[in-house]
Amino acid sequence: MESENKNISKMMFGSTGHLSTRALFGAASLAFVSQDDADRTMELINEFGINHIDTARSYGEAEVRLGPWMAHARDSYFLASKTGERTREGAWRELNESLERLQTDHIDLWQFHCLVEEDEWETAMGSDGVLEAAIQAKEEGMISYIGVTGHGIQTAEMHLRSLERYPFDSVLLPYNYTMMQDPKYAGDMRQLLSLCDEKKIAVQTIKSIAQRLKTPQDTSFSTWYRPLDREEAIRMSVSWVLQNEQVFMNTVGDISLLPMMLKAAATHETYTDEELADLVRRENIDQLFTEENRNMQI
């Protein structure tokens, strides 16, 4: 019997010089798990050769769970974290907390978490904002690169605005088949992809296997939305994202779905938009972010 393919392809992460696996480990999945579960999850991502981890100060105990691994194998991973603070003082505090929790003296990529609201953007980019903290941290060797992330229908548009303000090294935003059926979002996304290609900015994507918003009765998964959970649906959705050779894909925020998602990333196939449209009908997939819920708190 042939052995299972566990080789996830790699490509250069923007202009950083780091060759990252195209599937990035989304450590939000470690927010509420035990250290034993976290250790088993890290062993799994190592089996698939994942060399890039994305976490955040706000992801529960995720940074704490990663800490023991960073303490003994820091050089094995490109490590990214995030701050949700918008002021220089608050962000500086969170950066130092992240470094302590992660048991490291430097973070490769520090990102401004979900920067999509107008008032928060003005604070973050202004005097005594988080951008000033990031520039100082980079100068002092605490971080190497700076990125910006977002959720919501306005994210691609706001990232374009952020890139006018500062030459960020990476962006992160929702990208899946249903989101790209929204004409406004798709147009903004194509413009963003073009700019990032020109400027060699890494494009990280999230919500590749999102199915719909949760109902109050749906407690099956630790994600705030309902993810796809059938292997075929996950394989098709992951494959569709990775067909775009410009993007990286963050894995799902629930460790129970991680094995299927990593297998799909290692063996991704080619699917047409017609096949994805049929999947949307069969799985009752809804667009996760819309104009109506653009102010949704996540």
Side-chain angles (χ1 to χ4, degrees), residues 57 82-85 90-99:
R57 178 62 185 83
K82 310 182 191 77
T83 177
E85 292 289 334
W92 192 262
R93 182 189 67 252
E94 281 207 340
L95 174 58
N96 281 277
E97 290 172 352
S98 289
L99 291 169

Side-chain angles (χ1 to χ4, degrees), residues 232-255:
E232 179 195 26
I234 289 173
R235 182 179 68 250
M236 292 181 68
S237 299
V238 167
S239 294
W240 187 88
V241 170
L242 293 179
Q243 283 171 198
N244 183 338
E245 296 182 353
Q246 185 180 351
V247 307
F248 294 89
M249 178 196 68
N250 277 45
T251 57
V252 66
D254 188 296
I255 59 173

Side-chain angles (χ1 to χ4, degrees), residues 45-65:
I45 73 163
N46 286 340
E47 286 179 25
F48 281 86
I50 304 295
N51 67 354
H52 188 130
I53 297 173
D54 181 86
T55 189
R57 178 62 185 83
S58 61
Y59 289 168
E61 295 298 291
E63 291 181 331
V64 174
R65 299 289 175 255

Side-chain angles (χ1 to χ4, degrees), residues 188-206:
D188 291 338
M189 185 67 175
R190 284 191 289 268
Q191 187 178 349
L192 180 64
L193 287 170
S194 177
L195 179 63
C196 289
D197 182 56
E198 176 189 346
K199 302 292 186 182
K200 293 186 172 23
I201 298 165
V203 180
Q204 307 164 88
T205 65
I206 55 174

